Amino acid sequence: MNYDAIVIGAGMSGLAAGIRLAMFGKKVCVLEKHTIAGGLNSYYQRRIKETKEIAQFDVGLHALTNFATKGERGRPLTKMLKQLRIPYGDLNLCPQSYSVIDFPDKKLRFTNDFEFLRNEVHEKFPHQIDAFNKLVEKVVAFDELDLNAGYMSSREVLGNYLSDALLIEMILAPLLIYGSAWEKDMDFNQFVIMFKSIYLEGFSRPKGGVRTIIDKLISRFKEEGGELKFRHGVEEILTKDGKAIGVRTTKGEELFSSKIFSSAGLPETMELAKKDTSHQVGQMTFLEAICLTKRAPTKEEFEPTIVFYNNSEKYHYEGAKDFFDTRSAVVCCPNNYDPEVKDVHGCFRVTFMANYEKFKALERSAYLEKKEQAYEEALKIVKSISPSVELDVVLKDVFTPTTVERYTWKKRGTVYGSPDKIRNGKTDIDGLYVIGTDQGFLGIVGAILSGISLGNLYGLMES
Ligand SMILES: Cc1cc2nc3c(=O)[nH]c(=O)nc-3n(C[C@H](O)[C@H](O)[C@H](O)COP(=O)(O)OP(=O)(O)OC[C@H]3O[C@@H](n4cnc5c(N)ncnc54)[C@H](O)[C@@H]3O)c2cc1C
């Protein structure tokens, strides 16, 4: 079978690239190894034993970054929806209440109005406000989309503006944990992307969670005539004379195309193409403990949507030395996105940095024990943030780096991909392009924009 383009993976970037290509009359096939779409941002369900209810969970989605109101011009979210021809209202977005960067002696809150954060910095770090304003000016003026930009240390740039080490750590914490493939530091281009998408634009969540986005992407792709095959993993990317010519799937079929867009990850893609790869596999992977409580927390008990918790003045963003690292955590309470929605149950999701190798080495019973331990630690952190919160648990679940690997085929369950990003998406095989996380655009909006822009660039403009 011949196609104008083949896309590997039905995650955010793969589906977005597929829609753009199909929209312009290309014969395009998206191949997905899993039985459902979404990749790192998928969903699953569990039955509550006591009541027999089915509870739906998101795998990734704590927050959709890049919040914009309807019709707001020049915003990534608006551009993304326009390119995919998805009406704004279809996402049913509920903005965040507020989020907190929670360090022992200081807390900074932020909302979808940047002036709120600016006032917080002014109040908590009065001696730094002029410097902070200058940094914001630099971020706003910076072209983070330059596809040829090289690595620049964010800590170095921040150090040129801010003299308070605690403020630097606090600003960096949410940006690192929500999008750095690098340990301890991050590329300044990525810093700017994350600063804009989190602090300047903000968070929201679609009603119905990540499924709302995935279902919409699939239906748009099919409306445009695209072909989507689940349980069709790509086993090999076929090449001839340095050019991509097609793929062989796990079903043994050979599908041909001179344009292949892969969201499988950079080292993973090069391995599929049988090329020696020196690209590093990212160290950053996570464990998440989820607890569903009998009722949603009241405003007095727990009001923020997300808390970036850290127990010291220094934020340790690095692969966990032990199974998981309780020095910091992200606590998300999805109930607090929309106070109008009266969820029956409360939900707390607690994410820790984790260690893939340690979990991989465990026998089943030790693995379950470790998950239980992580769950207990997660509850302690929720309680330490809000001692009055009632944790009457009806269902709990924990997923680890090995779970991430099992369902996404990302090496080591890495979440933010390889530290070696290919900003222009081009590999050294003609016609083989890397989209999504390893192009350097991650998160839901980033990955979708990556699929759109590289689909446009190499699938539409070049042909
Ligand atoms: C725990 C967690 C929390 C997160 N929280 C957020 C959040 O709150 N907000 C946010 O915006 N982002 C969040 N993310 C990150 C976000 O999910 C990702 O950056 C984004 O979804 C990546 O999309 P992608 O298309 O690049 O890759 P992926 O989602 O990894 O898609 C790749 C797809 O390719 C498939 N695949 C792999 N190998 C093959 C093969 N050989 N053949 C066929 N198919 C293959 C995979 O199954 C997968 O479906 C989170 C991620 C995790 C894991």
Side-chain angles (χ1 to χ4, degrees):
M1 183 72 88
N2 290 301
Y3 292 94
D4 294 321
I6 290 172
V7 178
I8 304 176
M12 298 292 163
S13 63
L15 287 170
I19 294 172
R20 282 302 289 176
L21 295 163
M23 204 184 258
F24 288 88
K26 302 287 178 196
K27 187 174 174 204
V28 48
C29 181
V30 174
L31 298 167
E32 170 56 55
K33 201 164 179 172
H34 198 6
T35 51
I36 53 170
L40 286 165
N41 238 317
S42 198
Y43 54 88
Y44 63 100
Q45 58 187 37
R46 290 275 182 277
R47 186 184 287 274
I48 303 175
K49 258 195 198 146
E50 210 178 289
T51 59
K52 310 254 184 303
E53 289 163 274
I54 300 288
Q56 306 282 350
F57 293 107
D58 292 333
V59 175
L61 187 73
H62 284 177
L64 184 71
T65 56
N66 302 87
F67 179 72
T69 51
K70 186 174 177 190
E72 226 176 313
R73 286 178 165 271
R75 290 297 185 92
L77 182 77
T78 329
K79 283 185 200 164
M80 171 191 110
L81 293 174
K82 194 170 166 200
Q83 289 268 321
L84 299 177
R85 296 191 196 142
I86 294 177
Y88 179 89
D90 286 9
L91 292 192
N92 255 312
L93 295 182
C94 308
Q96 66 171 330
S97 52
Y98 63 88
S99 293
V100 189
I101 308 163
D102 185 339
F103 278 50
D105 295 324
K106 286 211 165 80
K107 298 188 196 329
L108 285 175
R109 291 173 301 160
F110 61 92
T111 64
N112 291 354
D113 173 5
F114 181 68
E115 294 314 309
F116 190 95
L117 176 62
R118 206 196 294 271
N119 286 336
E120 287 272 298
V121 173
H122 196 172
E123 201 181 294
K124 315 273 170 66
F125 296 90
H127 58 292
Q128 291 284 282
I129 187 63
D130 293 339
F132 178 75
N133 284 336
K134 286 207 178 86
L135 173 70
V136 175
E137 272 170 35
K138 175 168 175 92
V139 166
V140 171
F142 193 85
D143 176 15
E144 71 279 17
L145 300 178
D146 175 2
L147 294 186
N148 298 311
Y151 180 88
M152 212 188 326
S153 156
S154 298
R155 284 192 181 276
E156 232 173 273
V157 178
L158 288 175
N160 292 336
Y161 284 81
L162 305 170
S163 56
D164 191 312
L166 178 61
L167 180 58
I168 293 179
E169 296 299 317
M170 292 183 83
I171 291 174
L172 274 173
L175 312 191
L176 286 165
I177 189 108
Y178 271 2
S180 179
W182 300 269
E183 295 179 278
K184 298 183 172 72
D185 198 353
M186 74 199 292
D187 175 26
F188 189 67
N189 285 280
Q190 188 64 20
F191 174 88
V192 172
I193 292 174
M194 300 305 291
F195 192 102
K196 288 181 177 172
S197 64
I198 293 178
Y199 296 141
L200 289 170
E201 292 161 19
F203 290 150
S204 68
R205 180 177 188 269
K207 253 180 216 159
V210 79
R211 260 193 106 144
T212 306
I213 303 176
I214 295 170
D215 289 350
K216 195 72 222 169
L217 292 175
I218 292 177
S219 71
R220 282 294 298 118
F221 182 55
K222 290 192 172 162
E223 273 163 32
E224 296 295 347
E227 221 178 295
L228 172 58
K229 293 179 179 221
F230 290 112
R231 293 193 186 90
H232 278 67
V234 168
E235 208 163 58
E236 185 177 347
I237 295 171
L238 307 172
T239 61
K240 194 174 175 204
D241 303 330
K243 293 187 174 135
I245 56 164
V247 299
R248 190 175 47 253
T249 72
T250 42
K251 305 260 179 200
E253 297 161 289
E254 290 195 341
L255 308 176
F256 296 98
S257 178
S258 59
K259 289 201 187 288
I260 297 171
F261 295 86
S262 173
S263 63
L266 178 57
E268 294 84 350
T269 299
M270 298 324 285
E271 202 171 281
L272 290 173
K274 309 280 180 229
K275 290 279 279 191
D276 277 343
T277 170
S278 55
H279 303 294
Q280 302 170 67
V281 176
Q283 292 296 313
M284 294 316 299
T285 184
F286 305 99
L287 168 153
E288 187 161 291
I290 301 139
C291 105
L292 212 61
T293 57
K294 210 160 207 166
R295 60 162 181 84
T298 62
K299 209 169 147 184
E300 290 68 34
E301 285 174 319
F302 204 98
E303 196 181 20
T305 39
I306 299 181
V307 179
F308 297 93
Y309 162 87
N310 190 55
N311 75 359
S312 73
E313 291 210 341
K314 175 98 184 131
Y315 186 65
H316 301 278
Y317 185 73
E318 57 202 5
K321 306 274 182 295
D322 204 346
F323 286 87
F324 52 93
D325 188 342
T326 53
R327 290 177 297 179
S328 67
V330 183
V331 179
C332 172
C333 179
N335 302 90
N336 293 339
Y337 274 101
D338 187 354
E340 297 302 307
V341 176
K342 296 278 172 263
D343 294 297
V344 180
H345 297 292
C347 181
F348 292 93
R349 304 179 47 178
V350 182
T351 313
F352 292 120
M353 293 169 217
N355 182 313
Y356 167 81
E357 279 75 19
K358 286 204 176 269
F359 277 101
K360 186 75 182 170
L362 290 180
E363 300 276 329
R364 181 88 186 137
S365 62
Y367 178 75
L368 294 178
E369 218 171 276
K370 215 25 107 180
K371 288 210 311 184
E372 186 61 31
Q373 196 183 324
Y375 172 77
E376 293 300 331
E377 291 297 327
L379 290 196
K380 273 190 217 160
I381 286 181
V382 177
K383 274 284 189 192
S384 81
I385 294 169
S386 175
S388 68
V389 74
E390 200 175 294
L391 294 175
D392 197 351
V393 179
V394 293
L395 183 69
K396 62 181 180 185
D397 194 36
V398 175
F399 64 80
T400 73
T402 55
T403 326
V404 176
E405 182 191 50
R406 187 168 346 120
Y407 293 109
T408 66
W409 294 273
K410 299 277 175 184
K411 283 179 186 288
R412 303 184 68 260
T414 186
V415 172
Y416 298 136
S418 170
D420 303 324
K421 303 296 182 198
I422 302 198
R423 305 260 309 168
N424 65 13
K426 279 190 170 179
T427 67
D428 50 14
I429 295 171
D430 239 23
L432 175 63
Y433 308 105
V434 169
I435 56 172
T437 309
D438 279 345
Q439 192 220 338
F441 295 92
L442 36 80
I444 298 169
V445 177
I448 291 179
L449 285 171
S450 161
I452 291 174
S453 55
L454 294 199
N456 287 349
L457 186 61
Y458 302 123
L460 301 177
M461 276 148 80
E462 277 198 354
S463 56

